[in-house]
Amino acid sequence: MNIELIPAIDIIEGKCVRLTKGNYQQKTIYNDNPVEVAIHFEQLGFTRLHMVDLDGAKSKHVVNIQILEDIKKRTNLVVDFGGGIKSCEDIEKVFDFGADMVTVGSIAVQDRDTMTSWIETYQPERIILGADVRNGKISVNGWKEDSNIELIPFLKDYFNLGIRNVLCTDISKDGTLQGPATALYQTITNAFPNLHLIASGGVSSNEDILELEEAHIPAVVFGKAFYEGRIDVDKLILNR
């Protein structure tokens, strides 16, 4: 298996949670200690972690920064951090506290000049463009607000600025365990063959991950399926 496997930790009030379709009223708490969860991921053989500060996304500034620092101190995981990165102070703080990469979505939609300056300052390889999609349009601010921006032109704009890492979440799939939006991801990779696309949302099983690999999707984020025991980690790791 060549697809990059990226477990996720979403954090609200210091706890490891998952939402359904981005709805803060539909949250499930899976663990009170995200740092221990990260350590467990590393022990299982994973090398990468996608960390989302849901408090930050909602409040529009980074909140759970200390947990990032603790994870980096206690593991060797490559961590990308997203949620609440709205200012130069936010992104600088996230990198200072140990993030290897940042996932940025709302600013890319709402303030192109700032996003462009971040790409230039921190280099494109350290920036993951967050493309959260609902009904073909980009959503922002923790998925609470929809924009009028179409997905493919949005990606093309930032591809031309050097971005090669994109995390795309089909909001209608996220946390539903109904399978990934494979057709959407194929549309993206057909349009941008050199993009390192990270599929996110809907993964429910090893079979879903295999489906994405067979569709030549480079990487996948998963969370709820792991926490609810639907993914056989041994088979995933052995098949790598």
Side-chain angles (χ1 to χ4, degrees), residues 200-212:
S200 172
V203 170
S204 67
S205 64
N206 288 45
E207 288 71 26
D208 285 340
I209 294 173
L210 182 60
E211 174 185 306
L212 290 168

Side-chain angles (χ1 to χ4, degrees), residues 29-210:
I29 298 172
Y30 287 105
N31 195 293
D32 290 341
N33 192 330
V35 179
E36 294 300 326
V37 175
I39 291 170
H40 182 54
F41 280 138
E42 186 173 44
Q43 291 171 340
L44 289 172
F46 295 108
T47 60
R48 177 85 181 266
L49 178 67
H50 176 58
M51 179 178 170
V52 183
D53 181 356
L54 289 173
D55 292 315
K58 191 173 184 179
S59 62
K60 301 184 181 181
H61 63 86
V62 173
V63 175
N64 290 293
I65 193 75
Q66 189 59 53
I67 294 173
L68 166 65
E69 184 177 51
D70 292 344
I71 287 173
K72 287 300 296 183
K73 282 181 177 178
R74 296 187 61 188
T75 76
N76 292 309
L77 293 167
V78 174
V79 178
D80 74 82
F81 182 101
I85 301 174
K86 308 292 191 200
S87 67
C88 294
E89 180 183 3
D90 283 327
I91 193 170
E92 185 174 346
K93 182 186 295 184
V94 169
F95 280 129
D96 284 348
F97 275 68
D100 299 282
M101 292 172 281
V102 295
T103 300
V104 183
S106 299
I107 284 294
V109 176
Q110 299 169 329
D111 190 344
R112 187 180 183 278
D113 289 344
T114 294
M115 181 66 168
T116 301
S117 72
W118 289 354
I119 294 170
E120 293 172 351
T121 300
Y122 298 104
Q123 303 305 310
E125 60 270 17
R126 299 191 75 191
I127 307 286
I128 301 171
L129 177 63
D132 300 327
V133 184
R134 180 159 38 213
N135 300 321
K137 304 288 181 66
I138 299 295
S139 293
V140 296
N141 295 327
W143 304 347
K144 298 192 300 298
E145 302 169 29
D146 293 332
S147 74
N148 292 316
I149 297 175
E150 298 282 349
L151 174 62
I152 296 300
F154 175 71
L155 296 179
K156 183 177 181 180
D157 183 26
Y158 283 106
F159 187 86
N160 290 338
L161 290 174
I163 287 292
R164 293 296 180 269
N165 297 297
V166 171
L167 175 72
C168 183
T169 303
D170 183 336
I171 297 169
S172 69
K173 296 278 190 177
D174 191 71
T176 66
L177 301 172
Q178 293 178 354
T182 306
L184 171 66
Y185 304 133
Q186 285 181 306
T187 298
I188 295 171
T189 54
N190 288 340
F192 306 97
N194 296 321
L195 205 63
H196 187 73
L197 178 66
I198 306 168
S200 172
V203 170
S204 67
S205 64
N206 288 45
E207 288 71 26
D208 285 340
I209 294 173
L210 182 60

